[in-house]
Amino acid sequence: MRIKDIFIFSACVFILLINACQDKVINYGHNKKTGNYFNIRGFKMYYETYGSGKPLLMIHGNGGDISSFAGNIPYFSKKYKVIVADSRAHGKSADLRDSLSFEMMADDYAELLDSMHINSAYIIGWSDGGINALLLAMRHPDKVIKLASTGANLWPDSTALKPEFWKSEQETFLSGKDKIYQTPKEKNDWKVFLLDWAQPNIPLTALKQIKCPALIIGGDHDLINTEHTVAIAKHIPQGQLWIVPKSGHATLIEHKDEFNQKVDEFFQPPARQ
């Protein structure tokens, strides 16, 4: 082979290798190969799916989107059909209406599963997504096989949230409550902030409605008070507790490998005797 031909051949191989590597890098939340929309309860809900097997729905937190699970999707998609969506008023799931509640969002996810002809799924929820996971199991019990909820709270005050975090939220509310928000983004950002400022409002006694096994997770220095997380686990009939050592609010990111393995083990059916 002539030098020129060798050079051209080598260049082609190099380009193919680069393209192959690029194909392996998935831009979660912006993946045109799998991204799609469903008309859900008055808005267009954006979602992506990965892998095959039993359905596993992942629900992100306040201000987040599908990309929140970039460290978890590759692991779980090896054995589950992973479904990830941008919640109402988040990411690509635009919703310009004034109202927003956790109950609305939980019902959205139930209808998303219906739209995909999925009777029931495993659920992973983080932060606001953890609240949505609990409400989904309460409002649509047949939809949830098992759930893992990390960093969830039941009410929005300093008994549930770390006092210093609640104080910062209060300062944001007081500085912004009298402002006039002009742009759609400003209005949406304030609406999403108010969701966490005024909600959720779930009594501990309501958790008895959750009939499925539930793994309740929190970091040992989470934004959620450990006592609050413990109380959530205790009030769920089949609740289990995992306080992750040396972890803040982002347990599934800070301790990705351990989180993935532990939750996967929890989802497995019990061994036959």
Side-chain angles (χ1 to χ4, degrees):
M1 185 179 290
R2 292 178 298 173
I3 296 296
K4 182 179 179 181
D5 293 333
I6 292 173
F7 176 79
I8 294 172
F9 176 77
S10 299
C12 290
V13 170
F14 181 69
I15 291 170
L16 289 171
L17 287 172
I18 289 177
N19 289 337
C21 290
Q22 288 177 338
D23 287 341
K24 292 180 181 179
V25 177
I26 300 174
N27 190 7
Y28 295 109
H30 303 276
N31 187 352
K32 294 181 180 179
K33 291 183 178 180
T34 187
N36 213 331
Y37 289 89
F38 273 121
N39 289 317
I40 301 286
R41 295 164 33 81
F43 75 105
K44 292 178 67 176
M45 191 174 202
Y46 178 77
Y47 72 98
E48 297 175 0
T49 59
Y50 298 92
S52 60
K54 294 180 180 179
L56 167 58
L57 174 65
M58 297 182 175
I59 310 177
H60 65 78
N62 189 286
D65 56 27
I66 289 170
S67 65
S68 300
F69 295 104
N72 314 102
I73 295 170
Y75 177 93
F76 285 100
S77 62
K78 292 176 182 176
K79 62 172 72 174
Y80 299 89
K81 178 179 181 179
V82 174
I83 304 151
V84 278
D86 289 342
S87 297
R88 176 191 292 259
H90 290 71
K92 295 182 178 180
S93 297
D95 179 28
L96 300 180
R97 289 170 293 184
D98 293 334
S99 61
L100 184 63
S101 74
F102 286 106
E103 288 77 12
M104 290 167 62
M105 297 163 85
D107 292 349
D108 294 340
Y109 278 103
E111 186 157 330
L112 174 65
L113 293 177
D114 281 341
S115 299
M116 299 179 73
H117 306 290
I118 294 172
N119 294 325
S120 59
Y122 296 91
I123 312 291
I124 295 175
W126 174 27
S127 195
D128 280 18
I131 300 167
N132 282 318
L134 297 174
L135 282 169
L136 184 58
M138 293 165 64
R139 296 169 69 84
H140 306 275
D142 293 340
K143 290 294 182 192
V144 185
I145 303 169
K146 291 183 178 182
L147 71 88
S149 170
T150 183
N153 60 296
L154 300 184
W155 49 81
D157 65 18
S158 60
T159 66
L161 308 174
K162 284 285 192 292
E164 60 272 20
F165 176 69
W166 182 83
K167 185 67 175 177
S168 71
E169 293 281 279
Q170 183 187 48
E171 290 171 357
T172 300
F173 171 72
L174 293 174
S175 66
K177 66 183 180 69
D178 295 323
K179 288 183 180 179
I180 298 175
Y181 297 98
Q182 301 286 352
T183 68
K185 184 180 185 308
E186 288 175 343
K187 293 177 181 178
N188 193 78
D189 288 349
W190 184 243
K191 177 176 69 174
V192 170
F193 167 77
L194 288 179
L195 176 69
D196 274 1
W197 172 249
Q199 302 178 51
N201 294 285
I202 306 168
L204 279 168
T205 54
L207 297 178
K208 65 183 179 182
Q209 300 173 44
I210 299 177
K211 304 303 182 184
C212 67
L215 179 60
I216 305 303
I217 307 165
D220 62 354
H221 52 281
D222 207 310
L223 297 176
I224 312 300
N225 288 323
T226 300
E227 296 79 9
H228 190 74
T229 302
V230 171
I232 292 173
K234 284 184 175 180
H235 281 77
I236 296 174
Q238 297 188 69
Q240 297 182 31
L241 176 68
W242 178 32
I243 300 299
V244 185
K246 300 180 181 179
S247 181
H249 193 55
T251 56
L252 74 174
I253 297 173
E254 296 174 33
H255 299 272
K256 176 187 68 176
D257 295 337
E258 185 181 10
F259 181 94
N260 292 343
Q261 183 177 353
K262 182 100 171 180
V263 172
D264 186 24
E265 289 173 354
F266 172 74
F267 285 162
Q268 298 309 306
R272 293 181 179 180
Q273 300 296 325

